[in-house]
Amino acid sequence: MPSSSQQAFHDLQNFIARRIIGQRTFIERLLIALLCDGHILVEGAPGLAKTRAVNVLGQGLEGDFHRVQFTPDLLPADLTGTEIYRPQDGSFVFQQGPLFHNIVLADEINRAPAKVQAALLEAMAERQITVGRVTYKLPALFMVMATQNPLEHEGTYPLPEAQLDRFLLYLKIGYPSAAEEKEILRLARGEARQDAAPAGGSDKPLDQATLFAARREVLEVHMAEALEEYLLQLVLATRNPGAYDASLAGWLQYGASPRASIALDRCARARAWLNGRDFVTPEDIQEMAFDVLRHRLILAYEAEAEGIDTDRVIAELIARVAVP
C-alpha cells in the first residue's frame, strides 16, 4: 500500500497529466526535482508545453507561482527586489522581487546578461539573496525551472558551468506522437477528456507539509551498497573514461563533480519512491544518469568536431561500467 505522501504525489501527477499531454517523462522529472529540492533546466522547441507544465505544477501545489521573461535589458533588481525610498519618513523599505515566490519560471534564461544570471545563482545555491548589506532568506519551498530555446542563439548569453551545475536536472523534451497531438487538439478545443484521463486523481493542492514529509521518505529509500558503488563508478568514469575505453579518453575534457554523485543518488531514490518501491534498482540510476550528468560534462574539441554530444558519452559509459 502506498503511503499517504505517495498517494498525494500520484494525485498531483495525474492532475498534471490531465492538462499536459505527451510529456510523461517531463512530468515525472518535475516531480523528482520537487522531491529532491532541486532546480530544472529545460531545453525544447517553442510550443512543447514547457511554460504550461510549470504553471500547472504551481496550481497543483500549496504555494505561489511566478513567471519571469528573461530579456537582455533585465536587471538583477528585477529578480531580487529593491529598496524603495519613502519620502514621508525618509526611510527605505525593501520590496520583494519574483524570487520570493515558491515556484519561479525563468523563461529563456540564456537571454539575460551575466549579472542577472549571477543573482539567480545565489538564490538557487544558497536559498537567499543579498541586497545591499542585508541578506534575505527565500521560502522553504523554492524551485526554479529555467527554459532555453535550442533553435535561436543570436543575442543569447550561454550559461557558465558554475550556473549549470546548480541545476539538479537538465531535460531535453521532444515533439509528441500523432496520437498525443490529437489529444492536445481535443484539450485545446475544451472537449471533455474523461475517458482519456488517468484513473484517480484529486484536484486538491498538495500541501507543503505533505511535500516535506515525502522528501524525508525519499531519503529513507534503500540503496544497496553494491548499487551505491555502481553509482559512484558511473560518475568516476566521467573523470577517467580512458579506463573503460581508450577512444573515450579524447571525448571528455572535464568530468562530473561530487555534486553530480549527490544529485544522482537523490534522484534515483526519488524515482524508486515515485514508482512505489522502497529500494533502488540499477534502472533507476541509469534512467536518471542522462538528466543528471548531461550538463555537468565538458566535451573535448575532438568530440564536438565529430558531432558527439554528452548523451552519447553517457550512453557509452553506462554500456561499459559493470552492473552489480
Side-chain angles (χ1 to χ4, degrees), residues 68-120:
V68 182
Q69 185 66 46
F70 278 51
T71 55
D73 60 347
L74 200 69
L75 298 174
D78 295 328
L79 292 181
T80 61
T82 187
E83 292 184 331
I84 305 297
Y85 177 69
R86 298 180 61 181
Q88 299 90 337
D89 54 11
S91 64
F92 286 88
V93 177
F94 178 68
Q95 181 174 326
Q96 296 181 348
L99 291 183
F100 285 88
H101 292 79
N102 299 117
I103 309 292
V104 177
L105 173 62
D107 212 5
E108 296 194 278
I109 185 175
N110 56 337
R111 294 200 176 277
K115 281 186 176 182
V116 178
Q117 294 178 8
L120 186 62

Side-chain angles (χ1 to χ4, degrees), residues 217-294:
E217 290 181 17
V218 165
L219 294 175
E220 295 171 1
V221 172
H222 176 68
M223 181 182 292
E225 187 172 345
L227 277 184
E228 189 174 83
E229 182 63 25
Y230 171 63
L231 182 153
L232 290 173
Q233 289 304 317
L234 271 179
V235 177
L236 292 174
T238 67
R239 305 172 199 168
N240 186 24
Y244 295 89
D245 191 310
S247 64
L248 297 179
W251 286 5
L252 285 175
Q253 186 175 2
Y254 292 102
S257 69
R259 188 179 281 122
S261 303
I262 298 171
L264 187 53
D265 175 81
R266 292 195 67 176
C267 289
R269 294 174 193 267
R271 185 177 186 272
W273 185 87
L274 268 181
N275 284 277
R277 288 180 276 107
D278 61 357
F279 60 92
V280 176
T281 66
E283 289 74 20
D284 294 321
I285 297 172
Q286 293 168 352
E287 279 289 318
M288 298 308 306
F290 291 91
D291 297 329
V292 169
L293 296 176
R294 67 164 53 100

